[in-house]
Amino acid sequence: MDILISPSFLKGRLTVPASKSDAHRLLIAAALSKSQTIINLNGFSKDIDATVSCLEALGCRIVRGSDTLTVNPVWQGLRAHPVLHCGESGSTLRFLLPVAAALCAEFTMTGEGRLPGRPMAPLTGQMTRNGCRFEPETLPFKVTGPLRGGLFELPGNISSQFVSGLLFALPLLKEDSEIVLTSPLESAGYADMTLAALEKFGIRVSREENRFAVPGGRTYASPGEAAAEGDWSNAAFWLVAGAVNGGVACEGLDTSSRQPDKAIVQLLERMGADITVKNQTVTARAGKLKGIRADISETPDLAPVLAVAAAFAEGTTVFENAGRLRLKESDRLSAIASNLKALGARAELEGDALVIHGEGTLRGGAADGFNDHRMVMAAAVAGTACETSVEIRGAGAVGKSYPRFFEDLKQLGGKADVV
């Protein structure tokens, strides 16, 4: 599906969808509990569907309501040789690989898109060291286990999801375990989200700097009901839209959340946007934006839409330590620069830094979705403020995280037409 975005002034209020990062975590913890859990969440997506599908393959029974998922634990129907299809969801793969290895003596994992090429060796290597075998060593693979507890050494600068997957799995094992990071943990807030989800389900892990001590032989205890937080990652698109072209209020955002992407507020304020935070509503209004220098290592998912804000700012913006953007659903580092240049901006890569020379405007033109939900949404936000229309190729990729994105765009006064 290709979409034509015409220039328009965005104004209004909307409730942001549930955080898929939080929903993944609640679903997995609920599946490992001893009793049923009702999870409240505003909105579904392909990535959440992938986690639901894999948990069902393991033996869970999950009942979907209009805004709930009722999770009946995996222990009630654990299967012997399940096949877990992860779609294009990196979270699903990295979280559930250790979990499945703790539960099953043998299982198969598959994926599609760029998922088979995304880094896994640090995790699979440590799992091999602790009792697992992979045939072949890259996705799709058959895994023979079960996983044993013990020492797990991981680099912290590739994916915090490796740590999160082990944090879910290791309490199930009889042995105590230790996760030691051999380099500083990037996107550490996501590991904090995992620890918070574990605590909701009665699992406590001790953390000291680069070390997690995980006791074995633990039992997940359902709280009965849990709610997924509003998604700061998706709210960021609307807040940038408000900052460059209008006034947008996003409701349902927890300012005390551990989600790293709530940093969008401080980053837009640094750029000169007019931001108001009141209760659980964040409002962004257009201001005179200026370029900034920012380390993006803790919040790489913000880069596509922050790059749009930078293009509409005056002056140069530098996003440093952006190398992990190359390992996402697309090579986002190159994709961001490519789309900005296609729309009339000056942008270049300097090693692992993205440099954008903002001139306060963008011409418009054609942008590629790169089969990447965040690249599509960023291009759409840009299109609302460009001088002429923007045609986005492959716009259906928004279904990965935000299926109703274009409906919400129109609700705010945007113009989006299927080509």
Side-chain angles (χ1 to χ4, degrees):
M1 176 181 72
D2 297 346
I3 290 281
L4 185 70
I5 305 294
S6 300
S8 57
F9 184 82
L10 298 189
K11 186 177 180 62
R13 308 172 70 87
L14 55 81
T15 301
V16 298
S19 163
K20 70 184 182 76
S21 294
D22 198 27
H24 283 303
R25 289 164 169 80
L26 294 178
L27 276 165
I28 294 169
L32 298 174
S33 296
K34 290 299 184 182
S35 58
Q36 183 185 90
T37 307
I38 298 172
I39 299 174
N40 299 296
L41 69 168
N42 167 34
F44 299 94
S45 64
K46 288 183 179 178
D47 277 8
I48 295 303
D49 290 343
T51 291
V52 168
S53 173
C54 287
L55 291 174
E56 289 177 329
L58 284 168
C60 281
R61 185 171 62 87
I62 300 177
V63 180
R64 187 188 298 253
S66 59
D67 57 0
T68 62
L69 289 169
T70 301
V71 183
N72 295 284
V74 68
W75 313 107
Q76 296 176 2
L78 185 61
R79 294 173 183 167
H81 304 286
V83 177
L84 282 64
H85 184 63
C86 301
E88 296 185 54
S89 175
S91 298
T92 304
L93 171 62
R94 290 164 173 169
F95 290 172
L96 286 181
L97 177 57
V99 170
L103 298 175
C104 305
E106 183 178 288
F107 63 97
T108 299
M109 293 196 94
T110 69
E112 57 191 38
R114 273 174 57 99
L115 190 62
R118 294 177 72 175
M120 288 296 295
L123 179 58
T124 57
Q126 290 301 298
M127 291 177 62
T128 299
R129 171 178 168 177
N130 286 275
C132 294
R133 187 171 73 251
F134 293 82
E135 299 176 359
E137 294 183 354
T138 56
L139 206 68
F141 42 55
K142 183 174 76 171
V143 185
T144 304
L147 182 66
R148 294 192 306 265
L151 175 64
F152 296 80
E153 296 178 302
L154 293 168
N157 61 346
I158 297 179
S159 178
S160 64
Q161 293 173 348
F162 296 156
V163 175
S164 289
L166 289 171
L167 287 174
F168 281 119
L170 298 181
L172 302 173
L173 307 179
K174 63 182 180 179
E175 308 93 351
D176 293 345
S177 297
E178 185 177 29
I179 304 170
V180 174
L181 302 177
T182 59
S183 61
L185 181 61
E186 295 186 2
S187 295
Y190 288 106
D192 291 338
M193 288 182 69
T194 301
L195 294 175
L198 289 170
E199 284 191 9
K200 286 181 183 177
F201 287 80
I203 303 293
R204 287 175 174 76
V205 173
S206 173
R207 179 182 181 181
E208 295 180 5
E209 296 184 1
N210 67 337
R211 174 181 173 274
F212 298 81
V214 187
R218 294 302 187 260
T219 300
Y220 282 74
S222 172
E225 191 167 352
E229 298 177 348
D231 193 346
W232 281 97
S233 301
N234 282 332
F237 292 94
W238 304 125
L239 296 176
V240 169
V244 302
N245 182 37
V248 178
C250 293
E251 300 175 337
L253 292 170
D254 181 359
T255 56
S256 66
S257 171
R258 290 176 172 85
Q259 293 178 53
D261 287 349
K262 72 177 183 180
I264 187 64
V265 170
Q266 288 74 32
L267 289 165
L268 285 178
E269 286 178 331
R270 285 181 57 198
M271 297 183 82
D274 179 4
I275 305 290
T276 303
V277 180
K278 185 176 181 180
N279 298 326
Q280 291 194 323
T281 300
V282 181
T283 304
R285 300 178 184 86
K288 186 172 178 58
L289 302 182
K290 64 181 185 298
I292 63 171
R293 179 179 291 268
D295 186 326
I296 208 73
S297 60
E298 294 294 317
T299 56
D301 286 345
L302 293 181
V305 74
L306 277 175
V308 172
F312 284 102
E314 296 284 351
T316 298
T317 293
V318 180
F319 294 123
E320 299 174 317
N321 297 318
R324 283 195 301 136
L325 287 167
R326 299 185 188 280
L327 306 175
K328 298 291 186 175
E329 285 83 345
S330 66
D331 175 351
R332 283 187 186 154
L333 201 54
S334 297
I336 292 168
S338 175
N339 270 353
L340 287 182
K341 287 187 281 190
L343 299 181
R346 290 193 299 136
E348 67 249 9
L349 304 180
E350 295 181 358
D352 284 342
L354 173 64
V355 182
I356 301 161
H357 305 285
E359 299 179 355
T361 187
L362 282 177
R363 179 187 66 243
D368 199 316
F370 292 95
N371 195 35
D372 187 330
H373 53 132
R374 300 198 192 280
M375 293 305 304
V376 173
M377 292 187 285
V381 169
T384 66
C386 283
E387 296 169 7
T388 62
S389 298
V390 171
E391 182 176 340
I392 307 171
R393 296 181 290 270
V398 296
K400 188 174 195 295
S401 66
Y402 198 164
R404 69 169 194 254
F405 175 81
F406 290 110
E407 296 172 31
D408 284 353
L409 178 70
K410 292 178 181 178
Q411 177 187 323
L412 294 171
K415 300 174 182 178
D417 299 290
V418 177
V419 178

